[in-house]
Amino acid sequence: MSATAQNNIKDLPLRDSEDAAHQGDPDAPGSPISVPDSGDHGEGGKLKMIVQLVKRSLGVKDLAAMRISLPASLLEPVPNLEYWGYLDRPDLFLAINDRDDPLERMLSALRFTFSKDLKFIKGKVCKAYNSVLGEHFRAYFDVPSNAITYKSNESTEPLDFTWHLDENDGESSHLTSLTAPTIRVKSPSSASLSVKSIKDQPMLSDHHYAESSPNLQRPVSTHESSYAPSTIEAVDSSVPHSRVLFITEQVCHHPPISSFHFECAEKGVEGCGVDQIAARITGTTLKVGPGSQNKGIFLKITKGHGAGETYWITHPTACVNGILRGSFYATITESTTITCTGPSGEKLRAIIEYKDEPWLGAPRFLLEGVIYKYTEGSEQETWTKVKQVPRDLVVATFEGCWRKVITWKKVGSDVANPLIDLTPLALVPKQ
């Protein structure tokens, strides 16, 4: 074997974490973490297993790169590919290219960004099963043309949603407890969803399957839960529909990495990206951020008003809190950026900055943001804080609660316009 070939072999990354650790790599994940099943599947038993996991995970730089063996009672009975996804509201995805004004298209991209993780607002914090290498999941959405209606051509007017609304949109707790639910729902296989239409029967969305998990459930309240299943609505042949296609595949089993693509050829919009997370324990909080292969979501407009534009949406860092109390809730830190690139003309970029939660008291889930003009290839593309943007470049600002209502203002105006209200929106189930 030549010296060059030997050097190339030495440079290859080690796939097995134990072998890497034995090579003396200080950044290697180390030995696998295993949490044995205590046999007690009640709330106390599950809490003990979670505490054991936290203790064994202290000091680990990236939990997602570790080989972790967890009891089935701590996992959701749904594959990772089926659970994850960013089309919780496909109607907002289609609306990105509805307007001819660049600012209005950026506002539409912001609405999609705030809605893509609706499952964590209406649902709960959970861990799905890792999908195996080569596994794929396919689905589609038939979105009626009247799913979103505009009161006027003015961007200051709120959107009217008529499709998959949460009938119980009152106040609901942001906490997830360990109490076992009383009903069980079996998730259909990915294969059956990819080849068979099931619109003739009610089906829960990919996250609604998690309601059957024995380890997590929303607390009991005096009113019906706002997390009621949203069933597939019968297709009205008299109303035109646009079909959104979605496919994702597991391209690496360890660490878990998947690639996804969704599109609507009729509307000329598509999205793609690579999913990988990096997680670590910090104190009593689990921090989850994008992995090294995860560069964000890339939305492309192929025809119509914004033909040639690409919206690059980055991911923030999420925190799972309340682990030791057994009452989980998620908060978001740091920032998200949306960068529009494409044909010559005015380029816009948005920064969403999530506010730090207070040490004492309930979380507030607040954010603020700015939309500004930028020049491609300049330092302006690296800004991640609102205060970094000079006032003369600002086009609009926005603020609010990322779980409820967000408003925006045009520069120079004191009038707050509604951007999106997530409270009445329900998860749209995959077909």
Side-chain angles (χ1 to χ4, degrees), residues 101 149 156 165 217 236 300 357:
D101 182 68
T149 57
T156 56
L165 301 180
Q217 186 190 27
D236 186 354
K300 300 178 182 179
E357 299 295 346

Side-chain angles (χ1 to χ4, degrees), residues 369-415:
V370 62
I371 301 174
Y372 66 96
K373 297 177 289 186
Y374 82 100
T375 303
E376 289 189 69
S378 67
E379 182 188 0
Q380 300 165 352
E381 290 184 283
T382 64
W383 294 340
T384 58
K385 300 289 185 181
V386 172
K387 64 182 181 180
Q388 292 178 288
V389 182
R391 295 182 63 88
D392 60 325
L393 296 179
V394 175
V395 177
T397 60
F398 53 91
E399 62 182 0
C401 171
W402 57 266
R403 294 177 62 94
K404 295 180 181 178
V405 179
I406 302 170
T407 60
W408 72 282
K409 297 178 183 178
K410 279 187 177 181
V411 64
S413 172
D414 294 329
V415 179

Side-chain angles (χ1 to χ4, degrees), residues 76 94 100 105 119 121 137 170 251 289 303 306 315 337 364 392:
E76 288 299 320
L94 295 185
D100 58 359
R105 289 196 297 274
K119 63 172 68 65
I121 299 175
F137 175 76
V251 296
K303 65 180 182 181
H315 294 294
T337 61
R364 297 176 296 176
D392 60 325

Side-chain angles (χ1 to χ4, degrees), residues 167-171 221-228:
E167 296 178 357
N168 303 288
D169 59 358
E171 289 291 326
S221 61
T222 56
H223 60 272
E224 292 186 15
S225 171
S226 63
Y227 187 52

Side-chain angles (χ1 to χ4, degrees), residues 85-90 92-94 96 112 116 139-141 243-248 259-265 268-273 275 296-300 313:
Y86 302 107
L87 288 177
D88 290 346
R89 295 295 306 192
L92 286 171
F93 166 64
L94 295 185
I96 292 175
F112 167 79
K116 67 182 176 63
Y140 68 91
F141 306 85
R243 175 161 291 190
V244 179
L245 302 177
F246 171 75
I247 184 170
T248 179
S259 296
F260 62 88
H261 179 88
F262 48 88
E263 67 172 15
C264 178
V269 288
E270 60 184 51
C272 62
D275 257 342
I297 306 171
F298 297 86
L299 302 181
K300 300 178 182 179
I313 306 171

Side-chain angles (χ1 to χ4, degrees), residues 65-211:
M66 292 291 299
R67 298 184 188 274
I68 300 178
S69 177
L70 296 177
S73 58
L74 293 181
L75 301 174
E76 288 299 320
V78 60
N80 186 58
L81 296 181
E82 187 176 348
Y83 172 72
W84 282 102
Y86 302 107
L87 288 177
D88 290 346
R89 295 295 306 192
D91 49 349
L92 286 171
F93 166 64
L94 295 185
I96 292 175
N97 197 25
D98 280 353
R99 299 301 187 95
D100 58 359
D101 182 68
L103 174 59
E104 293 181 348
R105 289 196 297 274
M106 176 58 78
L107 293 174
S108 296
L110 280 168
R111 294 187 186 102
F112 167 79
T113 302
F114 293 129
S115 72
K116 67 182 176 63
D117 295 321
L118 191 63
K119 63 172 68 65
F120 302 118
I121 299 175
K122 300 292 182 175
K124 54 190 176 181
V125 179
C126 61
K127 171 66 175 73
Y129 280 92
N130 284 344
S131 298
V132 298
L133 181 63
E135 180 180 341
H136 68 274
F137 175 76
R138 291 178 288 181
Y140 68 91
F141 306 85
D142 282 331
V143 183
S145 59
N146 60 355
I148 297 177
T149 57
Y150 301 91
K151 293 182 178 180
S152 69
N153 292 328
E154 295 293 329
S155 59
T156 56
E157 293 291 331
L159 304 184
D160 281 341
F161 294 90
T162 63
W163 190 54
H164 284 288
L165 301 180
D166 193 340
E167 296 178 357
N168 303 288
D169 59 358
E171 289 291 326
S172 61
S173 173
H174 59 273
L175 300 177
T176 295
S177 73
L178 294 170
T179 308
T182 57
I183 58 173
R184 314 278 298 188
V185 180
K186 184 178 180 181
S187 166
S189 66
S190 301
S192 65
L193 286 178
S194 64
V195 298
K196 181 181 178 182
S197 172
I198 53 177
K199 60 190 177 186
D200 293 329
Q201 59 179 329
M203 184 192 77
L204 305 183
S205 75
D206 57 333
H207 191 76
H208 291 143
Y209 299 142
E211 197 68 37

